[in-house]
Amino acid sequence: FLSMDGRYLFACLSAVLSALAGVYTEFLLKKNNDTLYWQNMQLYGFGTLFNAARLTYDDIQNPNGGFWLFDLTAGYNYITWLIVINFSFSGLFISWIQKYANTIVKVYATSSAMMVTAFLSIFFFDLEPTLQLFLGIAIVCISILLYFMPGDLPTSTSLAAATSSSNKLSALNDDDEELGHTKAR
């Protein structure tokens, strides 16, 4: 099958392609002032067309199965419809984040949701926590804390900055005096 090196290579390739796709999608959403709903229609419209083309191709290859459009919701129950509605709103929420925030915030929202899901699975589904789970939760929490922590705020003006500002001010005053501008002292 694949050696471990090949698996790591494909995992890295998947991460790079996912990151590039997220940044490019954010670029497309932010580059113009179209409404978010119109941009979603364009984005999901192309996805719908390509999926419909693939389903039609599969129906042509296997004509005994029936046309996909008539069997589109065959076997759906209320749980399936709830999942479809959930993913629809998730897609809208993610596009809102990418248009008005950035991809990093989207990644942190996804990581936080996975962390909460894993934490709740411990209590509701008797998931046995592993060291990897706790390390992952700790890394996500520390990363979120560091990302959203405000930067170092200056507590006082440093001597170098004050000296630099006063030197610039005196140089401007000297230039004014050389040009013949005088100030009342």
Side-chain angles (χ1 to χ4, degrees):
F1 194 62
L2 280 178
S3 68
M4 286 304 271
D5 294 337
R7 293 178 197 171
Y8 288 127
L9 178 69
F10 281 116
C12 290
L13 179 67
S14 173
V16 167
L17 290 177
S18 176
L20 288 174
V23 170
Y24 187 67
T25 302
E26 180 182 347
F27 167 75
L28 290 176
L29 287 171
K30 288 183 178 180
K31 79 176 187 174
N32 57 27
N33 289 330
D34 290 342
T35 66
L36 184 62
Y37 300 111
W38 173 244
Q39 288 176 325
N40 278 331
M41 292 280 292
Q42 292 172 330
L43 182 67
Y44 294 121
F46 280 109
T48 302
L49 288 175
F50 284 114
N51 284 312
R54 176 59 195 212
L55 288 170
T56 303
Y57 174 78
D58 288 345
D59 282 347
I60 291 171
Q61 295 297 326
N62 184 14
N64 297 335
F67 189 58
W68 65 268
L69 190 58
F70 301 125
D71 296 333
L72 189 61
T73 59
Y76 278 32
N77 59 17
Y78 73 94
I79 300 272
T80 311
W81 282 110
L82 287 176
I83 291 171
V84 168
I85 291 167
N86 180 37
F87 280 126
S88 299
F89 283 110
S90 296
L92 291 173
F93 182 66
I94 287 170
S95 63
W96 183 88
I97 287 176
Q98 286 187 318
K99 181 155 179 95
Y100 299 111
N102 60 29
T103 302
I104 301 296
V105 175
K106 180 189 84 76
V107 169
Y108 281 129
T110 304
S111 299
S112 300
M114 290 170 53
M115 180 182 64
V116 169
T117 301
F119 188 72
L120 291 176
S121 295
I122 293 171
F123 295 108
F124 291 120
F125 303 117
D126 295 328
L127 174 74
E128 292 188 26
T130 61
L131 178 63
Q132 291 90 351
L133 177 66
F134 282 123
L135 288 176
I137 289 173
I139 288 171
V140 168
C141 289
I142 291 169
S143 176
I144 290 171
L145 179 70
L146 290 174
Y147 182 76
F148 289 106
M149 183 185 303
D152 292 339
L153 300 174
T155 55
S156 65
T157 307
S158 68
L159 181 59
T163 306
S164 172
S165 298
S166 65
N167 287 342
K168 288 179 186 175
L169 186 58
S170 66
L172 287 173
N173 287 339
D174 290 343
D175 289 343
D176 284 343
E177 289 175 3
E178 288 175 8
L179 294 172
H181 300 122
T182 58
K183 293 183 180 177
R185 295 184 187 217

